[in-house]
Amino acid sequence: MKLKSFHNSMSSNLLLSSIQFHFHPQHHHHLNSCSPKAHQYNSSKGSSLTAQSKLAKHELLNLISDQDRGLKTQKNPAKRDSIINAIDALADLGSDTVTTGTSLSATWRLLWTTEKEQLFIIENAHLFGTQVGEVLQVIDVEQKLLNNVITFPPDGVFFVRSNIEIASPQRVNFRFTSAVLRGKNWEIPLPPFGQG
């Protein structure tokens, strides 16, 4: 499985798929799972690191399993600290891993976040007569694109486009370029805001 986490001053995102790590202190934390993709792990680090990584990943997944994508974590600072410590421990194990290569290109499903805007939408979708379905992040490194997608079954979606730039082996910068809220027979363009 890849694991990547994004940290910035506003929140935390952790994204999960095949063994891959991405960590930046004091940034967003999200945990997402990715559609399966082949990923080459550097076997020179040995099976001990692989075993440690698997154990750390298992611990992290256990910590977030009952957190409703981060909604429950908002009201439990001790749990949030435990999750972030688990993210940090896992990131330390992958500190030499390149996380910005083509294996980053995938559709990622949100499992956990501290990102306030996403949690607000997830928590309050019922006010608009709907509920949140999948929360996805679609990344295409070669095309330099990142799209955030929040679905509202059966026909709604909040879609935010952004451009990305590889800044280092473990950092991707992004800039939002457009946003739209769509229903079955309607569409409302929204001003994009944000970069990181």
Side-chain angles (χ1 to χ4, degrees):
M1 285 198 153
K2 271 190 246 190
L3 179 70
K4 66 176 181 139
S5 68
F6 294 102
H7 304 264
N8 72 32
S9 60
M10 298 176 64
S11 68
S12 301
N13 306 308
L14 191 61
L15 304 131
L16 174 72
S17 178
S18 284
I19 297 177
Q20 185 164 312
F21 306 90
H22 188 88
F23 176 73
H24 298 290
Q26 302 173 357
H27 290 84
H28 293 286
H29 289 88
H30 284 295
L31 178 60
N32 293 345
S33 67
C34 175
S35 56
K37 269 195 134 174
H39 178 71
Q40 297 297 317
Y41 176 70
N42 181 353
S43 60
S44 67
K45 293 193 177 194
S47 61
S48 176
L49 183 58
T50 301
Q52 290 174 349
S53 296
K54 286 181 181 180
L55 182 62
K57 183 170 41 179
H58 180 73
E59 178 184 341
L60 178 58
L61 290 173
N62 280 338
L63 284 169
I64 66 158
S65 66
D66 63 349
Q67 294 303 296
D68 197 17
R69 295 191 250 200
L71 290 175
K72 294 180 181 177
T73 313
Q74 296 179 98
K75 299 174 180 116
N76 188 339
K79 183 74 166 197
R80 182 183 190 275
D81 289 346
S82 294
I83 292 169
I84 291 174
N85 287 338
I87 292 170
D88 293 346
L90 192 54
D92 287 343
L93 292 171
S95 62
D96 294 330
T97 305
V98 174
T99 61
T100 56
T102 57
S103 63
L104 181 62
S105 295
T107 297
W108 300 80
R109 182 175 50 92
L110 179 75
L111 299 179
W112 183 84
T113 187
T114 61
E115 207 279 316
K116 292 179 195 290
E117 289 81 6
Q118 285 185 343
L119 289 171
F120 177 84
I121 293 169
I122 292 167
E123 187 172 30
N124 294 294
H126 69 279
L127 298 175
F128 302 99
T130 189
Q131 61 183 354
V132 171
E134 295 291 341
V135 180
L136 307 169
Q137 192 168 72
V138 183
I139 300 172
D140 186 329
V141 173
E142 288 182 8
Q143 296 296 315
K144 298 183 178 181
L145 298 174
L146 179 149
N147 297 312
N148 290 320
V149 182
I150 302 175
T151 64
F152 305 101
D155 301 311
V157 65
F158 177 56
F159 191 81
V160 180
R161 286 187 171 92
S162 53
N163 294 326
I164 61 172
E165 175 184 306
I166 305 302
S168 74
Q170 291 193 336
R171 183 168 180 87
V172 175
N173 294 329
F174 69 91
R175 184 180 55 82
F176 294 128
T177 58
S178 67
V180 65
L181 182 60
R182 288 187 188 131
K184 186 174 184 174
N185 297 312
W186 55 271
E187 179 174 307
I188 302 171
L190 301 167
F193 59 91
Q195 62 184 21

